[in-house]
Amino acid sequence: MSDTEQAGAEGAAPEDVPGGDASPGAADEPAPSAAEPAEPASAAATDRADAPATAPADDAPPKNGDSKVSPQEKERTAPRRETDEGGSFSRYQEARQQISLNRLNRSAVAQGGGNAFYAEQLSIGGDNRVEVQALSVPSLQVAQQLDCHLDVDQQAQMAARLAAQHVLLLAGKPGSGRQSTALTLLAGCCPDDRIKILHSEAPGILQEISRRADELLTPDGFVIDLDDREVKLSTLETLAHLARKQGAFVVVLGVLGRVDPDQLGPHAFEHRRPVLGEVLAVHLRRLLAGHPGACTDPDCSAEHTAAFTARMLESPQVQRTLDGAVSVRSVVEFAEVLAQSVHTEDTSLTEVIGQWRDRLRRLAKQLLRVPTETPQGSVLDPHRQAFRIAYAFFHGLPLADVFEAGQLLSASVLPRYETRELAPANHVFERELDQLIPPEMLASADAASDGRADDNPRCARLVDEELMHAVIEVVWHDYDSLRHPLLEWLTALVAGPLERIRVRAAQIAGILLCHDFDSVYRDLIRNWAGGKNTAYRQSAALALEMAAHDPRLMQRVRGQIRSWLGSPRWQFQDSAARAYGTLVGAQDVPDTLWALRELGTRPELAFSSSVAFSMAWLYLSAAPGPASDALDHWITSDNDHLTQHAIRTLLILSRYSAGPDRRDRPVLADTAMTDPDRADALVRLWRHALMGQHSSTRAWDQLRRWLLAGDADKELAAFLDALVPRICARPLSLRAGFYLGMWAGRHPDSRTVRQLRHQLAKGTFATPSAS
């Protein structure tokens, strides 16, 4: 048995996790039961690294989920305050969505992008404006794209469709050359100097552009990259009408899987990347076209460069390199490296290819190397290396986060592991950002092809996101004495107050798991999963989710989570519940629902919202149907704990809207409006929540928000006029009259509230309702 699986099975994490009680939320979590059983040594996994850990058979809680809770079990759990019913879930999930990493290190997988999670709170009467940035693409950049662009399948049809409809959606994988195709198509419809990129970090950019068409859409060409956000046919049709009216041409970039071209009518095409060998050929010829005239070698000629290009394209080594290329952009970079080696002997081709593959790793080592002397003396060391690590790790996040993390590493963590002389006095102006971060590490100021040049606040931008993974690999493998400071730094970061910093630190830990699962789990993740701090346990779950992007580790990650589920310690059980609310849980929905039900029956998790959070995530991002069916069974279960978890899940989900184009419609109501069975289940959930001792106040307030949302949505109002009387039937009718009277005074213009008060006065609420 490996040390990793032994740790997960036994659940013997130390109680004194660093900072375990310092983070917010620690007081809201359940304390260990007084009669905690001994750690079973038999809760072991198999010795194979790729085999799942097995849950203990004797010490695991019983699986009779519908059994009544015994008085002894109730006494084991001391009265505690319940955790927040949705606020922290919203903040955490929004942070996950905003800073998700696009891919893991190339030694793990070629690509894989966190969670495609849509999380938008139902906002009534607030400002729903989305900030949209417009960036002009230089005409020189457009000309360069046109000079070396290779037509893709159906490009002629794409051009005709864009000219006729003014809106086109290209659905393809990142790195397939979608942006080059978009710029080429737009250049055929408008002048080269009239092409812009529209960008927004928030969801709903297409809806915002539609609302502000007069302001944002001018007689120009526009590129909009949706990342992994959803798009609907009705939205594209509305945008096409407005673009035609304004004389604008719009190309939208989407991701296959989230954007299905077959469901988006005539506006969408699947974008397949061109043949990579042809991409290499056209860029090599462009780069070497003027080389003979500028070369100092007297033997250099056009015939020499043509022969070199032919040899490179026919080389088996070059072909194998192209087979492993992850994007069109990487092939372009490869062409630049080959062009610089035009006079290199063919026997050195292996070395040239190796340098290209390892270029980012060599850059990372160069960035972290301690120089013999700097223009500013030794004042910047070792702060400079710490700040560069922080800048790389927090790529895409505000510079304020980089400053805070770098200061924590250099001033608080590293001094514990170094022997330093008395530090000289530091002057504020000696730590200029341009001196700390070299130009070769930074994205160029005008290379904002993703539309993020005008960051506000300013963010860390690496020249290549892969450089972050290269720095992680170098820090872990090339600096023996840096491993423990790195783990301590990540532990301190996940205990901080900002969700986005905690999420990124957990993602870094997940990437480290891909490099060394046993060591990182034993020294870091196990301590987080067994900690009494909510932030640690949530970070442990997210780290395993990040590691699960590596196909080689998926089964091992699932086995580790199952081992947590079988642990008698509530901390590991809670970590397992949180881990099921990630990509790992979405991979096997039936098993996830069984595991969450199993965890939901346990008294140790009675006052934790982790089960409800994972059920809400599963409903919103992966399997709304199965999750709804499970909640309906939970709310009618004989197990009081399952009922409470179902109520918490309702209170979380009731905050979320059905999507960017239906911001005022709750997602639960949207589903139930077309499914009578879902409506019946929703009635049962609401009645239990409104009558619950600990949930009634929040439930009545959320119901009020639903009624106000009905004022802006006639279909929703009609649905609520029929649903609410069923929800508020006896014995809730008197309490409903009290709240409706109070809401009528607070919202005198609400038609929905007024209509329901009228129904109550007529006695329609008195009819008993099934629950």
Side-chain angles (χ1 to χ4, degrees), residues 628-672:
S628 296
D629 294 338
L631 289 174
D632 193 27
H633 287 106
W634 290 13
I635 202 65
T636 58
S637 172
D638 292 335
N639 187 288
D640 294 340
H641 301 321
L642 278 178
T643 302
Q644 290 302 315
H645 288 304
I647 292 174
R648 290 190 186 119
T649 306
L650 167 71
L651 294 177
I652 294 171
L653 290 176
S654 64
R655 298 171 177 233
Y656 285 84
S657 68
D661 55 345
R662 293 194 298 271
R663 293 176 178 270
D664 292 320
R665 181 176 298 181
V667 63
L668 290 174
D670 185 66
T671 304

mmCIF file of all heavy atoms in Angstrom, residues 628-672:
data_model
loop_
_atom_site.group_PDB
_atom_site.id
_atom_site.type_symbol
_atom_site.label_atom_id
_atom_site.label_comp_id
_atom_site.label_asym_id
_atom_site.label_seq_id
_atom_site.Cartn_x
_atom_site.Cartn_y
_atom_site.Cartn_z
ATOM 1 N N SER A 628 -32.627 16.511 -9.322
ATOM 2 C CA SER A 628 -33.991 16.826 -8.879
ATOM 3 C C SER A 628 -34.686 15.597 -8.325
ATOM 4 O O SER A 628 -35.364 15.668 -7.286
ATOM 5 C CB SER A 628 -34.793 17.394 -10.053
ATOM 6 O OG SER A 628 -34.258 18.620 -10.492
ATOM 7 N N ASP A 629 -34.541 14.474 -9.002
ATOM 8 C CA ASP A 629 -35.155 13.231 -8.513
ATOM 9 C C ASP A 629 -34.595 12.860 -7.148
ATOM 10 O O ASP A 629 -35.336 12.417 -6.254
ATOM 11 C CB ASP A 629 -34.912 12.101 -9.508
ATOM 12 C CG ASP A 629 -35.618 12.335 -10.842
ATOM 13 O OD1 ASP A 629 -36.588 13.112 -10.863
ATOM 14 O OD2 ASP A 629 -35.191 11.754 -11.855
ATOM 15 N N ALA A 630 -33.274 13.022 -6.972
ATOM 16 C CA ALA A 630 -32.666 12.691 -5.685
ATOM 17 C C ALA A 630 -33.189 13.609 -4.584
ATOM 18 O O ALA A 630 -33.496 13.153 -3.473
ATOM 19 C CB ALA A 630 -31.146 12.789 -5.791
ATOM 20 N N LEU A 631 -33.319 14.895 -4.864
ATOM 21 C CA LEU A 631 -33.831 15.823 -3.858
ATOM 22 C C LEU A 631 -35.263 15.486 -3.472
ATOM 23 O O LEU A 631 -35.653 15.623 -2.301
ATOM 24 C CB LEU A 631 -33.753 17.259 -4.386
ATOM 25 C CG LEU A 631 -32.355 17.860 -4.512
ATOM 26 C CD1 LEU A 631 -32.426 19.226 -5.175
ATOM 27 C CD2 LEU A 631 -31.696 17.968 -3.141
ATOM 28 N N ASP A 632 -36.058 15.028 -4.430
ATOM 29 C CA ASP A 632 -37.438 14.653 -4.124
ATOM 30 C C ASP A 632 -37.483 13.453 -3.192
ATOM 31 O O ASP A 632 -38.335 13.376 -2.291
ATOM 32 C CB ASP A 632 -38.181 14.350 -5.429
ATOM 33 C CG ASP A 632 -39.691 14.274 -5.221
ATOM 34 O OD1 ASP A 632 -40.196 14.929 -4.277
ATOM 35 O OD2 ASP A 632 -40.359 13.564 -5.982
ATOM 36 N N HIS A 633 -36.564 12.508 -3.385
ATOM 37 C CA HIS A 633 -36.496 11.367 -2.473
ATOM 38 C C HIS A 633 -35.990 11.784 -1.099
ATOM 39 O O HIS A 633 -36.440 11.272 -0.072
ATOM 40 C CB HIS A 633 -35.592 10.278 -3.061
ATOM 41 C CG HIS A 633 -36.206 9.533 -4.214
ATOM 42 N ND1 HIS A 633 -35.803 9.729 -5.513
ATOM 43 C CD2 HIS A 633 -37.196 8.618 -4.261
ATOM 44 C CE1 HIS A 633 -36.525 8.953 -6.312
ATOM 45 N NE2 HIS A 633 -37.373 8.275 -5.576
ATOM 46 N N TRP A 634 -35.047 12.716 -1.068
ATOM 47 C CA TRP A 634 -34.507 13.155 0.211
ATOM 48 C C TRP A 634 -35.560 13.880 1.050
ATOM 49 O O TRP A 634 -35.623 13.688 2.261
ATOM 50 C CB TRP A 634 -33.322 14.097 -0.015
ATOM 51 C CG TRP A 634 -32.091 13.432 -0.562
ATOM 52 C CD1 TRP A 634 -31.991 12.178 -1.088
ATOM 53 C CD2 TRP A 634 -30.789 13.999 -0.631
ATOM 54 N NE1 TRP A 634 -30.719 11.928 -1.498
ATOM 55 C CE2 TRP A 634 -29.943 13.034 -1.236
ATOM 56 C CE3 TRP A 634 -30.244 15.228 -0.286
ATOM 57 C CZ2 TRP A 634 -28.583 13.264 -1.462
ATOM 58 C CZ3 TRP A 634 -28.894 15.468 -0.507
ATOM 59 C CH2 TRP A 634 -28.075 14.488 -1.088
ATOM 60 N N ILE A 635 -36.362 14.706 0.406
ATOM 61 C CA ILE A 635 -37.300 15.521 1.171
ATOM 62 C C ILE A 635 -38.400 14.671 1.787
ATOM 63 O O ILE A 635 -39.025 15.070 2.777
ATOM 64 C CB ILE A 635 -37.903 16.629 0.277
ATOM 65 C CG1 ILE A 635 -38.440 17.774 1.138
ATOM 66 C CG2 ILE A 635 -38.983 16.092 -0.639
ATOM 67 C CD1 ILE A 635 -37.387 18.515 1.911
ATOM 68 N N THR A 636 -38.640 13.499 1.228
ATOM 69 C CA THR A 636 -39.660 12.598 1.782
ATOM 70 C C THR A 636 -39.041 11.457 2.571
ATOM 71 O O THR A 636 -39.744 10.513 2.941
ATOM 72 C CB THR A 636 -40.513 12.025 0.646
ATOM 73 O OG1 THR A 636 -39.672 11.334 -0.296
ATOM 74 C CG2 THR A 636 -41.269 13.128 -0.079
ATOM 75 N N SER A 637 -37.732 11.517 2.823
ATOM 76 C CA SER A 637 -37.046 10.442 3.529
ATOM 77 C C SER A 637 -37.376 10.458 5.013
ATOM 78 O O SER A 637 -37.720 11.500 5.592
ATOM 79 C CB SER A 637 -35.534 10.582 3.324
ATOM 80 O OG SER A 637 -34.836 9.681 4.144
ATOM 81 N N ASP A 638 -37.262 9.300 5.640
ATOM 82 C CA ASP A 638 -37.446 9.209 7.088
ATOM 83 C C ASP A 638 -36.228 9.719 7.850
ATOM 84 O O ASP A 638 -36.287 9.886 9.067
ATOM 85 C CB ASP A 638 -37.710 7.753 7.495
ATOM 86 C CG ASP A 638 -39.056 7.253 7.004
ATOM 87 O OD1 ASP A 638 -39.937 8.111 6.785
ATOM 88 O OD2 ASP A 638 -39.217 6.035 6.821
ATOM 89 N N ASN A 639 -35.118 9.903 7.146
ATOM 90 C CA ASN A 639 -33.905 10.388 7.792
ATOM 91 C C ASN A 639 -33.958 11.912 7.862
ATOM 92 O O ASN A 639 -33.990 12.591 6.832
ATOM 93 C CB ASN A 639 -32.672 9.925 7.000
ATOM 94 C CG ASN A 639 -31.378 10.248 7.709
ATOM 95 O OD1 ASN A 639 -30.980 11.402 7.774
ATOM 96 N ND2 ASN A 639 -30.730 9.224 8.254
ATOM 97 N N ASP A 640 -33.968 12.452 9.055
ATOM 98 C CA ASP A 640 -34.089 13.902 9.232
ATOM 99 C C ASP A 640 -32.917 14.654 8.612
ATOM 100 O O ASP A 640 -33.077 15.786 8.138
ATOM 101 C CB ASP A 640 -34.170 14.243 10.728
ATOM 102 C CG ASP A 640 -35.448 13.717 11.354
ATOM 103 O OD1 ASP A 640 -36.406 13.454 10.596
ATOM 104 O OD2 ASP A 640 -35.481 13.568 12.584
ATOM 105 N N HIS A 641 -31.727 14.054 8.608
ATOM 106 C CA HIS A 641 -30.565 14.732 8.045
ATOM 107 C C HIS A 641 -30.722 14.938 6.544
ATOM 108 O O HIS A 641 -30.378 16.005 6.015
ATOM 109 C CB HIS A 641 -29.294 13.935 8.340
ATOM 110 C CG HIS A 641 -29.036 13.716 9.801
ATOM 111 N ND1 HIS A 641 -29.270 14.686 10.743
ATOM 112 C CD2 HIS A 641 -28.552 12.634 10.471
ATOM 113 C CE1 HIS A 641 -28.950 14.223 11.945
ATOM 114 N NE2 HIS A 641 -28.506 12.981 11.802
ATOM 115 N N LEU A 642 -31.221 13.924 5.841
ATOM 116 C CA LEU A 642 -31.424 14.067 4.404
ATOM 117 C C LEU A 642 -32.423 15.178 4.104
ATOM 118 O O LEU A 642 -32.259 15.937 3.141
ATOM 119 C CB LEU A 642 -31.906 12.746 3.800
ATOM 120 C CG LEU A 642 -30.842 11.685 3.484
ATOM 121 C CD1 LEU A 642 -31.498 10.427 2.945
ATOM 122 C CD2 LEU A 642 -29.843 12.226 2.471
ATOM 123 N N THR A 643 -33.454 15.265 4.904
ATOM 124 C CA THR A 643 -34.444 16.324 4.706
ATOM 125 C C THR A 643 -33.810 17.703 4.848
ATOM 126 O O THR A 643 -34.065 18.610 4.044
ATOM 127 C CB THR A 643 -35.591 16.163 5.715
ATOM 128 O OG1 THR A 643 -36.194 14.877 5.558
ATOM 129 C CG2 THR A 643 -36.643 17.239 5.512
ATOM 130 N N GLN A 644 -32.964 17.867 5.845
ATOM 131 C CA GLN A 644 -32.307 19.155 6.042
ATOM 132 C C GLN A 644 -31.365 19.488 4.895
ATOM 133 O O GLN A 644 -31.281 20.643 4.456
ATOM 134 C CB GLN A 644 -31.546 19.153 7.376
ATOM 135 C CG GLN A 644 -32.439 19.152 8.599
ATOM 136 C CD GLN A 644 -33.381 20.350 8.605
ATOM 137 O OE1 GLN A 644 -32.976 21.484 8.342
ATOM 138 N NE2 GLN A 644 -34.653 20.096 8.903
ATOM 139 N N HIS A 645 -30.658 18.489 4.390
ATOM 140 C CA HIS A 645 -29.766 18.737 3.253
ATOM 141 C C HIS A 645 -30.575 19.125 2.011
ATOM 142 O O HIS A 645 -30.130 19.970 1.214
ATOM 143 C CB HIS A 645 -28.921 17.501 2.964
ATOM 144 C CG HIS A 645 -27.857 17.241 3.994
ATOM 145 N ND1 HIS A 645 -26.902 18.170 4.333
ATOM 146 C CD2 HIS A 645 -27.599 16.149 4.767
ATOM 147 C CE1 HIS A 645 -26.103 17.674 5.269
ATOM 148 N NE2 HIS A 645 -26.500 16.443 5.542
ATOM 149 N N ALA A 646 -31.725 18.514 1.817
ATOM 150 C CA ALA A 646 -32.569 18.873 0.674
ATOM 151 C C ALA A 646 -33.062 20.310 0.802
ATOM 152 O O ALA A 646 -33.113 21.054 -0.188
ATOM 153 C CB ALA A 646 -33.752 17.906 0.578
ATOM 154 N N ILE A 647 -33.427 20.728 2.008
ATOM 155 C CA ILE A 647 -33.879 22.106 2.218
ATOM 156 C C ILE A 647 -32.743 23.084 1.945
ATOM 157 O O ILE A 647 -32.933 24.124 1.296
ATOM 158 C CB ILE A 647 -34.421 22.268 3.650
ATOM 159 C CG1 ILE A 647 -35.713 21.472 3.823
ATOM 160 C CG2 ILE A 647 -34.637 23.738 3.985
ATOM 161 C CD1 ILE A 647 -36.242 21.456 5.238
ATOM 162 N N ARG A 648 -31.551 22.768 2.425
ATOM 163 C CA ARG A 648 -30.408 23.647 2.170
ATOM 164 C C ARG A 648 -30.139 23.768 0.671
ATOM 165 O O ARG A 648 -29.825 24.848 0.168
ATOM 166 C CB ARG A 648 -29.164 23.103 2.868
ATOM 167 C CG ARG A 648 -29.195 23.205 4.384
ATOM 168 C CD ARG A 648 -27.839 22.876 4.962
ATOM 169 N NE ARG A 648 -27.900 22.838 6.411
ATOM 170 C CZ ARG A 648 -27.622 21.783 7.158
ATOM 171 N NH1 ARG A 648 -27.264 20.651 6.582
ATOM 172 N NH2 ARG A 648 -27.696 21.837 8.470
ATOM 173 N N THR A 649 -30.260 22.642 -0.031
ATOM 174 C CA THR A 649 -30.035 22.685 -1.476
ATOM 175 C C THR A 649 -31.066 23.580 -2.155
ATOM 176 O O THR A 649 -30.737 24.351 -3.071
ATOM 177 C CB THR A 649 -30.094 21.270 -2.063
ATOM 178 O OG1 THR A 649 -29.171 20.418 -1.361
ATOM 179 C CG2 THR A 649 -29.745 21.276 -3.543
ATOM 180 N N LEU A 650 -32.317 23.494 -1.742
ATOM 181 C CA LEU A 650 -33.350 24.372 -2.296
ATOM 182 C C LEU A 650 -33.002 25.838 -2.066
ATOM 183 O O LEU A 650 -33.114 26.665 -2.984
ATOM 184 C CB LEU A 650 -34.697 24.051 -1.653
ATOM 185 C CG LEU A 650 -35.802 25.091 -1.899
ATOM 186 C CD1 LEU A 650 -36.257 25.040 -3.349
ATOM 187 C CD2 LEU A 650 -36.976 24.886 -0.950
ATOM 188 N N LEU A 651 -32.567 26.184 -0.850
ATOM 189 C CA LEU A 651 -32.267 27.573 -0.541
ATOM 190 C C LEU A 651 -31.086 28.091 -1.355
ATOM 191 O O LEU A 651 -31.020 29.276 -1.692
ATOM 192 C CB LEU A 651 -31.986 27.729 0.956
ATOM 193 C CG LEU A 651 -33.177 27.454 1.877
ATOM 194 C CD1 LEU A 651 -32.772 27.566 3.339
ATOM 195 C CD2 LEU A 651 -34.316 28.411 1.582
ATOM 196 N N ILE A 652 -30.139 27.210 -1.678
ATOM 197 C CA ILE A 652 -29.015 27.612 -2.527
ATOM 198 C C ILE A 652 -29.482 27.807 -3.960
ATOM 199 O O ILE A 652 -29.224 28.835 -4.596
ATOM 200 C CB ILE A 652 -27.894 26.566 -2.458
ATOM 201 C CG1 ILE A 652 -27.283 26.517 -1.056
ATOM 202 C CG2 ILE A 652 -26.814 26.868 -3.495
ATOM 203 C CD1 ILE A 652 -26.324 25.367 -0.848
ATOM 204 N N LEU A 653 -30.183 26.815 -4.502
ATOM 205 C CA LEU A 653 -30.604 26.866 -5.903
ATOM 206 C C LEU A 653 -31.628 27.963 -6.153
ATOM 207 O O LEU A 653 -31.726 28.480 -7.274
ATOM 208 C CB LEU A 653 -31.183 25.516 -6.322
ATOM 209 C CG LEU A 653 -30.185 24.364 -6.435
ATOM 210 C CD1 LEU A 653 -30.909 23.067 -6.751
ATOM 211 C CD2 LEU A 653 -29.145 24.664 -7.516
ATOM 212 N N SER A 654 -32.408 28.328 -5.152
ATOM 213 C CA SER A 654 -33.439 29.345 -5.358
ATOM 214 C C SER A 654 -32.840 30.709 -5.671
ATOM 215 O O SER A 654 -33.547 31.609 -6.134
ATOM 216 C CB SER A 654 -34.329 29.455 -4.112
ATOM 217 O OG SER A 654 -33.583 29.895 -2.987
ATOM 218 N N ARG A 655 -31.545 30.878 -5.468
ATOM 219 C CA ARG A 655 -30.885 32.157 -5.744
ATOM 220 C C ARG A 655 -30.460 32.294 -7.197
ATOM 221 O O ARG A 655 -30.049 33.378 -7.609
ATOM 222 C CB ARG A 655 -29.627 32.291 -4.873
ATOM 223 C CG ARG A 655 -29.881 32.301 -3.375
ATOM 224 C CD ARG A 655 -28.559 32.211 -2.626
ATOM 225 N NE ARG A 655 -28.762 32.298 -1.194
ATOM 226 C CZ ARG A 655 -28.131 33.161 -0.393
ATOM 227 N NH1 ARG A 655 -27.279 34.012 -0.918
ATOM 228 N NH2 ARG A 655 -28.360 33.180 0.898
ATOM 229 N N TYR A 656 -30.490 31.228 -7.971
ATOM 230 C CA TYR A 656 -29.883 31.234 -9.300
ATOM 231 C C TYR A 656 -30.930 31.375 -10.395
ATOM 232 O O TYR A 656 -32.004 30.796 -10.320
ATOM 233 C CB TYR A 656 -29.058 29.965 -9.511
ATOM 234 C CG TYR A 656 -27.763 30.017 -8.743
ATOM 235 C CD1 TYR A 656 -27.719 29.646 -7.399
ATOM 236 C CD2 TYR A 656 -26.605 30.482 -9.340
ATOM 237 C CE1 TYR A 656 -26.553 29.729 -6.681
ATOM 238 C CE2 TYR A 656 -25.429 30.569 -8.628
ATOM 239 C CZ TYR A 656 -25.403 30.192 -7.301
ATOM 240 O OH TYR A 656 -24.248 30.289 -6.587
ATOM 241 N N SER A 657 -30.540 32.143 -11.415
ATOM 242 C CA SER A 657 -31.446 32.379 -12.528
ATOM 243 C C SER A 657 -31.275 31.297 -13.582
ATOM 244 O O SER A 657 -30.334 30.508 -13.554
ATOM 245 C CB SER A 657 -31.187 33.753 -13.143
ATOM 246 O OG SER A 657 -29.924 33.764 -13.780
ATOM 247 N N ALA A 658 -32.199 31.290 -14.552
ATOM 248 C CA ALA A 658 -32.199 30.246 -15.577
ATOM 249 C C ALA A 658 -31.155 30.486 -16.644
ATOM 250 O O ALA A 658 -30.896 29.592 -17.454
ATOM 251 C CB ALA A 658 -33.583 30.144 -16.221
ATOM 252 N N GLY A 659 -30.529 31.640 -16.683
ATOM 253 C CA GLY A 659 -29.505 31.903 -17.693
ATOM 254 C C GLY A 659 -29.427 33.378 -18.010
ATOM 255 O O GLY A 659 -30.250 34.185 -17.555
ATOM 256 N N PRO A 660 -28.426 33.767 -18.804
ATOM 257 C CA PRO A 660 -28.252 35.193 -19.107
ATOM 258 C C PRO A 660 -29.441 35.818 -19.814
ATOM 259 O O PRO A 660 -29.702 37.001 -19.648
ATOM 260 C CB PRO A 660 -27.013 35.192 -20.021
ATOM 261 C CG PRO A 660 -26.312 33.908 -19.726
ATOM 262 C CD PRO A 660 -27.373 32.925 -19.387
ATOM 263 N N ASP A 661 -30.167 35.021 -20.608
ATOM 264 C CA ASP A 661 -31.300 35.593 -21.332
ATOM 265 C C ASP A 661 -32.591 35.548 -20.522
ATOM 266 O O ASP A 661 -33.623 36.035 -20.973
ATOM 267 C CB ASP A 661 -31.496 34.873 -22.666
ATOM 268 C CG ASP A 661 -31.640 33.367 -22.493
ATOM 269 O OD1 ASP A 661 -31.298 32.862 -21.398
ATOM 270 O OD2 ASP A 661 -32.097 32.699 -23.438
ATOM 271 N N ARG A 662 -32.546 34.937 -19.344
ATOM 272 C CA ARG A 662 -33.715 34.913 -18.436
ATOM 273 C C ARG A 662 -33.220 35.170 -17.016
ATOM 274 O O ARG A 662 -33.316 34.312 -16.135
ATOM 275 C CB ARG A 662 -34.448 33.564 -18.531
ATOM 276 C CG ARG A 662 -35.119 33.327 -19.862
ATOM 277 C CD ARG A 662 -36.093 32.168 -19.807
ATOM 278 N NE ARG A 662 -35.421 30.916 -19.484
ATOM 279 C CZ ARG A 662 -34.885 30.092 -20.385
ATOM 280 N NH1 ARG A 662 -34.931 30.407 -21.663
ATOM 281 N NH2 ARG A 662 -34.300 28.967 -20.024
ATOM 282 N N ARG A 663 -32.702 36.361 -16.820
ATOM 283 C CA ARG A 663 -32.090 36.699 -15.539
ATOM 284 C C ARG A 663 -33.092 36.738 -14.385
ATOM 285 O O ARG A 663 -32.721 36.541 -13.233
ATOM 286 C CB ARG A 663 -31.388 38.057 -15.639
ATOM 287 C CG ARG A 663 -30.174 38.067 -16.548
ATOM 288 C CD ARG A 663 -29.605 39.480 -16.668
ATOM 289 N NE ARG A 663 -28.415 39.499 -17.498
ATOM 290 C CZ ARG A 663 -27.178 39.327 -17.046
ATOM 291 N NH1 ARG A 663 -27.006 39.105 -15.764
ATOM 292 N NH2 ARG A 663 -26.142 39.368 -17.852
ATOM 293 N N ASP A 664 -34.349 37.035 -14.675
ATOM 294 C CA ASP A 664 -35.334 37.181 -13.609
ATOM 295 C C ASP A 664 -36.112 35.899 -13.340
ATOM 296 O O ASP A 664 -37.034 35.915 -12.520
ATOM 297 C CB ASP A 664 -36.324 38.299 -13.962
ATOM 298 C CG ASP A 664 -35.660 39.663 -13.940
ATOM 299 O OD1 ASP A 664 -34.837 39.888 -13.042
ATOM 300 O OD2 ASP A 664 -35.952 40.483 -14.821
ATOM 301 N N ARG A 665 -35.758 34.822 -14.030
ATOM 302 C CA ARG A 665 -36.504 33.571 -13.824
ATOM 303 C C ARG A 665 -35.640 32.580 -13.043
ATOM 304 O O ARG A 665 -34.580 32.172 -13.506
ATOM 305 C CB ARG A 665 -36.903 32.956 -15.155
ATOM 306 C CG ARG A 665 -37.700 31.662 -15.008
ATOM 307 C CD ARG A 665 -38.161 31.116 -16.335
ATOM 308 N NE ARG A 665 -39.050 32.054 -17.004
ATOM 309 C CZ ARG A 665 -39.627 31.807 -18.193
ATOM 310 N NH1 ARG A 665 -39.376 30.653 -18.812
ATOM 311 N NH2 ARG A 665 -40.427 32.710 -18.725
ATOM 312 N N PRO A 666 -36.095 32.133 -11.861
ATOM 313 C CA PRO A 666 -35.326 31.150 -11.096
ATOM 314 C C PRO A 666 -35.163 29.855 -11.880
ATOM 315 O O PRO A 666 -36.090 29.405 -12.554
ATOM 316 C CB PRO A 666 -36.167 30.942 -9.832
ATOM 317 C CG PRO A 666 -37.022 32.169 -9.740
ATOM 318 C CD PRO A 666 -37.293 32.587 -11.147
ATOM 319 N N VAL A 667 -33.985 29.257 -11.771
ATOM 320 C CA VAL A 667 -33.712 28.055 -12.544
ATOM 321 C C VAL A 667 -34.630 26.909 -12.129
ATOM 322 O O VAL A 667 -35.050 26.097 -12.971
ATOM 323 C CB VAL A 667 -32.218 27.663 -12.394
ATOM 324 C CG1 VAL A 667 -31.874 27.317 -10.952
ATOM 325 C CG2 VAL A 667 -31.866 26.522 -13.329
ATOM 326 N N LEU A 668 -34.980 26.809 -10.846
ATOM 327 C CA LEU A 668 -35.884 25.746 -10.396
ATOM 328 C C LEU A 668 -37.278 25.934 -10.987
ATOM 329 O O LEU A 668 -37.926 24.963 -11.397
ATOM 330 C CB LEU A 668 -35.953 25.728 -8.872
ATOM 331 C CG LEU A 668 -34.694 25.242 -8.146
ATOM 332 C CD1 LEU A 668 -34.857 25.430 -6.638
ATOM 333 C CD2 LEU A 668 -34.422 23.775 -8.452
ATOM 334 N N ALA A 669 -37.741 27.165 -11.034
ATOM 335 C CA ALA A 669 -39.065 27.423 -11.606
ATOM 336 C C ALA A 669 -39.061 27.176 -13.111
ATOM 337 O O ALA A 669 -40.035 26.663 -13.669
ATOM 338 C CB ALA A 669 -39.490 28.859 -11.306
ATOM 339 N N ASP A 670 -37.974 27.525 -13.775
ATOM 340 C CA ASP A 670 -37.898 27.347 -15.222
ATOM 341 C C ASP A 670 -38.053 25.878 -15.592
ATOM 342 O O ASP A 670 -38.716 25.538 -16.580
ATOM 343 C CB ASP A 670 -36.569 27.894 -15.723
ATOM 344 C CG ASP A 670 -36.462 27.864 -17.236
ATOM 345 O OD1 ASP A 670 -37.225 28.588 -17.892
ATOM 346 O OD2 ASP A 670 -35.626 27.097 -17.750
ATOM 347 N N THR A 671 -37.447 24.997 -14.826
ATOM 348 C CA THR A 671 -37.565 23.556 -15.092
ATOM 349 C C THR A 671 -38.972 23.061 -14.789
ATOM 350 O O THR A 671 -39.539 22.271 -15.545
ATOM 351 C CB THR A 671 -36.535 22.783 -14.261
ATOM 352 O OG1 THR A 671 -35.224 23.282 -14.539
ATOM 353 C CG2 THR A 671 -36.584 21.294 -14.577
ATOM 354 N N ALA A 672 -39.542 23.505 -13.672
ATOM 355 C CA ALA A 672 -40.851 23.012 -13.247
ATOM 356 C C ALA A 672 -41.982 23.527 -14.118
ATOM 357 O O ALA A 672 -43.064 22.924 -14.155
ATOM 358 C CB ALA A 672 -41.097 23.410 -11.790
#
